[in-house]
């Protein structure tokens, strides 16, 4: 059984999408990051970095429990465990890792900073807003070019798409008109029509 600790943010939805896609049973523990649940001693044992998502697989390697934090590590772990959406074929695996790391090091942090300076910062700082919006648009350009040559980021539908989709789902937050990136728009609509994705994105947090 997978014990998943998450909240309804893009990073939190990533493992939910994979779990729904694979059908692996899981229990969702809501960690309300607005109330500071991520700083409790119990949660810090699961993620020493005090961020969601994190998980415990009660049947980890050797049949013993293992904790996994960092959403990218969780997707890789679950992809390897299930043998789904993370190919063992070397070239396909490299592509999945490339686009997963592109999300982890680019899309997530840059979109997140754009959201912060546009929506949460106590003062409006045009320099910071424009810096991150420019990077967001550049990253959309990279994705649009890639999705012009492949159906999905890594070729086939994979953990790289699952990591990226919940961030693109906040396109209005970072002021992107998807019609300006038609390949991303096609990809986004197609993934959104997958029942597993709709289930994961529809989970309510309270
Ligand atoms: N690199 C981490 C980032 C996780 C992350 O930033 N999580 C946010 C929510 S999306 C969080 O827990 N924020 C609470 C906080 O910073 O106190 C991952 O991908 O797992």
């Amino acid at each position: 059984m997978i014990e998943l600790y998450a909240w309804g943010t893009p990073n939190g939805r990533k493992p939910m999408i994979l779990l729904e896609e694979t059908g692996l049973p899981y229990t969702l523990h809501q960690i309300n990051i607005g109330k500071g649940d991520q700083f409790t001693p119990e949660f810090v044992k699961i993620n020493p970095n005090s961020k969601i998502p994190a998980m415990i697989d009660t049947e980890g390697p050797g049949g013993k429990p293992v904790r996994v934090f960092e959403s990218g590590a969780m997707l890789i772990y679950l992809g390897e465990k299930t043998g789904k959406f993370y190919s063992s074929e070397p070239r396909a695996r490299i592509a999945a890792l490339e686009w997963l790391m592109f999300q982890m090091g680019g899309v997530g942090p840059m979109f997140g900073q754009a959201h912060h300076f546009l929506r949460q910062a106590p003062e409006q700082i045009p320099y910071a807003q424009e810096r991150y919006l420019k990077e967001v648009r550049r990253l959309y350009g990279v994705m649009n070019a890639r999705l012009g040559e492949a159906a999905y980021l890594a070729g086939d539908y994979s953990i790289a798409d699952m990591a990226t989709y919940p961030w693109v789902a906040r396109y209005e937050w970072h002021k992107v008109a998807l019609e300006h990136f038609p390949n991303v728009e096609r990809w986004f609509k197609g993934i959104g029509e997958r029942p597993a994705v709709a289930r994961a994105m529809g989970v309510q947090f309270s």
Side-chain angles (χ1 to χ4, degrees):
M1 174 63 84
I2 303 295
E3 305 291 338
L4 176 66
Y5 299 81
W7 191 242
T9 64
N11 287 323
R13 305 255 182 212
K14 294 177 195 176
M16 294 169 64
I17 292 176
L18 181 52
L19 287 162
E20 291 291 341
E21 289 281 13
T22 58
L24 207 58
Y26 69 102
T27 303
L28 174 62
H29 304 269
Q30 298 200 5
I31 300 297
N32 187 331
I33 58 174
K35 289 191 177 158
D37 292 353
Q38 69 274 35
F39 301 113
T40 63
E42 296 77 26
F43 185 70
V44 172
K45 282 187 196 147
I46 303 166
N47 186 348
N49 194 31
S50 292
K51 293 195 185 288
I52 62 91
M55 58 179 259
I56 294 173
D57 180 0
T58 58
E59 292 166 32
K64 294 182 183 160
V66 65
R67 71 112 193 266
V68 189
F69 67 91
E70 280 292 326
S71 59
M74 294 165 70
L75 292 174
I76 290 170
Y77 175 82
L78 291 169
E80 284 184 333
K81 181 182 174 83
T82 60
K84 292 179 180 167
F85 306 110
Y86 182 44
S87 176
S88 56
E89 191 281 314
R91 288 181 187 276
R93 179 160 286 208
I94 288 168
L97 284 173
E98 283 175 339
W99 290 100
L100 177 63
M101 297 306 150
F102 167 86
Q103 189 289 314
M104 292 295 294
V107 169
M110 295 301 114
F111 289 22
Q113 290 300 318
H115 297 168
H116 175 81
F117 284 107
L118 288 166
R119 301 171 63 93
Q120 291 164 342
E123 54 182 307
Q124 296 293 305
I125 307 173
Y127 172 80
Q129 292 175 345
E130 192 43 42
R131 173 183 165 85
Y132 291 109
L133 284 178
K134 189 175 167 195
E135 181 63 1
V136 165
R137 288 191 291 267
R138 193 191 68 78
L139 290 164
Y140 268 84
V142 174
M143 288 191 282
N144 200 56
R146 171 60 180 161
L147 293 168
E149 61 183 25
Y152 296 98
L153 288 169
D156 292 332
Y157 181 56
S158 76
I159 56 174
D161 302 293
M162 298 177 199
T164 308
Y165 177 86
W167 282 100
V168 172
R170 291 203 166 159
Y171 61 91
E172 287 175 343
W173 284 29
H174 43 260
K175 299 183 184 298
V176 160
L178 284 186
E179 61 264 31
H180 293 162
F181 301 95
N183 300 320
V184 176
E185 185 175 41
R186 182 262 310 153
W187 166 91
F188 179 73
K189 284 188 176 160
I191 292 178
E193 285 166 5
R194 297 179 68 91
V197 174
R199 283 197 300 278
M201 296 300 287
V203 172
Q204 298 296 309
F205 287 78
S206 54

